Amino acid sequence: MKFLLLALLLLLQASALAATRIKEVASVAGVRSNPLTGYGLVVGLDGSGDQTTQSPFTNQSLQAMLQQFGITLPPGANPSPRNIAAVLVTAQLPAFAQPGQPLDVTVASIGNAKSLRGGTLIATPLRGADGQIYALAQGHLIVGGAGASAGGSKVQINHLAAGRIPAGATVERVVANAFNAGAPLQLDLASSDFATARAVAAAINKAKGAGSAQALDGRVVRLNAPPSPEERVAFLADIENLPFDTAPPAARVVINARTGSVVMNQAVNLGACAVAHGNLSVSIQSTPQVSQPAPLSGGQTVVTERVEISIKQEPGPLIQMPNTAKLADVVKALSALGATPGDLLAILQAMKQAGALQAEIEVI
């Protein structure tokens, strides 16, 4: 735990020395990617596909595909191929994507296929949130995992039910964008902060002239960009790399209760306090015992369990923590407790309640 906190300290100090550019804290409104989703079939599997009795939608999809090729199955026919799997195909359509450009797609099984390794995705339309088709995906899957099973034993490395197809989709439709509509542009900050919005607007006005940018609130900065597309691109290319001075962030401690990770920024202050920390452990040991009856007594052998429960509480020394406003001193003070990450979560929350920790605690 001590080395983890020290490593985070060095990382925060190194990032504080680097200049902050506008492109690192803000993005142009409307210039974003759009998620695409499609339902398709993967064929060519080596007997590791869906079991159609448990995944009936795979069989229905197969029959619908065969009908498109003019093949109609007899009434009551229920094919059960093991080399086909129903999958969900996802992709991200980047901003300004044009028809004919390739996209990487991710393919994941939605049935009970054991593996998609060696499979081929047949033509699958990818739709946006509006239901329109924006891309068409098809190609051979690349699955990073491997596995084998025999005689009830199974060995598997990584995941076999998902894979990727590099450049496996082709853009078919352009997403409308208001970038060249002539309207004023705006920058959206990654996090709401009035000081950052003011600093971004001041840096733009200093480089491009007064009135080029106005901070509307803690997250939005309006830009008076030139009307022509070429001048707009040059305008944004210039302001994206403008450096500016960031204001000190609000003191915050982020706790991940699932992994036990604790991350704090350099604005965290620690007031003078005294902390006592000790561990409480409960041990339960069960020992089976056999009760054997005497010979010719007509009794039965009985197996019982002998359970021993012990509670051990380690002494927790009372440690005095001085008043400090430096992150390095906070790290040293917390490391002196010798607490595990799980214990440190409770200690930080108790410090906050006692008023000794001047920071906002966020649990994720």
Side-chain angles (χ1 to χ4, degrees):
M1 185 64 191
K2 179 178 181 180
F3 296 103
L4 175 61
L5 292 175
L6 291 177
L8 292 174
L9 171 62
L10 296 177
L11 180 62
L12 290 172
Q13 290 178 344
S15 61
L17 298 177
T20 302
R21 297 177 299 175
I22 292 179
K23 67 190 307 181
E24 296 167 353
V25 299
S27 60
V28 181
V31 180
R32 62 178 181 86
S33 61
N34 293 274
L36 302 179
T37 309
Y39 170 83
L41 293 175
V42 171
V43 299
L45 302 176
D46 188 13
S48 60
D50 291 340
Q51 295 180 3
T52 54
T53 56
Q54 300 178 4
S55 301
F57 48 84
T58 304
N59 199 1
Q60 295 176 6
S61 304
L62 176 61
Q63 296 183 28
M65 181 190 68
L66 293 178
Q67 289 180 358
Q68 295 178 0
F69 293 100
I71 301 175
T72 303
L73 297 178
N78 188 19
S80 299
R82 294 298 304 274
N83 60 348
I84 187 171
V87 295
L88 194 66
V89 185
T90 58
Q92 289 290 333
L93 182 65
F96 311 119
Q98 299 298 315
Q101 293 182 346
L103 300 176
D104 295 343
V105 298
T106 301
V107 181
S109 171
I110 59 175
N112 55 1
K114 296 180 180 179
S115 174
L116 298 180
R117 191 177 184 88
T120 300
L121 176 70
I122 60 176
T124 303
L126 302 181
R127 304 176 185 271
D130 56 358
Q132 301 294 325
I133 297 176
Y134 287 91
L136 190 66
Q138 180 173 284
H140 302 288
L141 271 73
I142 297 178
V143 179
S149 61
S153 300
K154 181 180 178 181
V155 176
Q156 179 175 323
I157 300 176
N158 295 333
H159 200 57
L160 299 176
R164 287 182 62 85
I165 307 178
T170 304
V171 179
E172 301 291 339
R173 185 192 296 264
V174 177
V175 178
N177 196 297
F179 179 76
N180 293 324
L185 299 178
Q186 75 177 39
L187 292 178
D188 295 338
L189 301 184
S191 59
S192 181
D193 187 81
F194 290 100
T196 302
R198 182 182 63 178
V200 168
I204 297 174
N205 290 328
K206 181 178 179 181
K208 295 296 183 180
S212 298
Q214 299 89 31
L216 302 183
D217 51 38
R219 188 179 288 270
V220 177
V221 177
R222 176 176 294 175
L223 302 177
N224 294 322
S228 67
E230 183 178 0
E231 292 178 347
R232 282 196 168 205
V233 172
F235 179 82
L236 289 175
D238 292 340
I239 68 172
E240 277 185 341
N241 294 299
L242 291 177
F244 69 99
D245 297 330
T246 58
R252 178 172 298 179
V253 178
V254 180
I255 298 174
N256 191 327
R258 297 182 299 273
T259 62
S261 303
V262 179
V263 179
M264 61 187 69
N265 59 17
Q266 58 184 356
V268 174
N269 295 331
L270 187 64
C273 62
V275 179
H277 168 69
N279 291 327
L280 179 66
S281 61
V282 179
S283 176
I284 302 177
Q285 183 177 1
S286 177
T287 304
Q289 293 182 341
V290 179
S291 177
Q292 184 71 27
L296 303 177
S297 63
Q300 296 181 353
T301 303
V302 178
V303 179
T304 60
E305 290 188 359
R306 180 182 179 184
V307 180
E308 297 181 357
I309 302 177
S310 60
I311 299 178
K312 180 181 180 182
Q313 184 173 10
E314 298 179 358
L318 188 64
I319 300 177
Q320 181 179 0
M321 307 182 74
N323 185 9
T324 177
K326 294 183 180 180
L327 180 60
D329 296 334
V330 175
V331 172
K332 292 179 181 178
L334 295 178
S335 300
L337 293 174
T340 63
D343 296 333
L344 190 57
L345 306 183
I347 294 175
L348 290 174
Q349 292 176 348
M351 287 182 175
K352 175 68 175 179
Q353 294 295 327
L357 182 63
Q358 305 301 326
E360 177 186 355
I361 296 181
E362 179 180 354
V363 181
I364 60 175

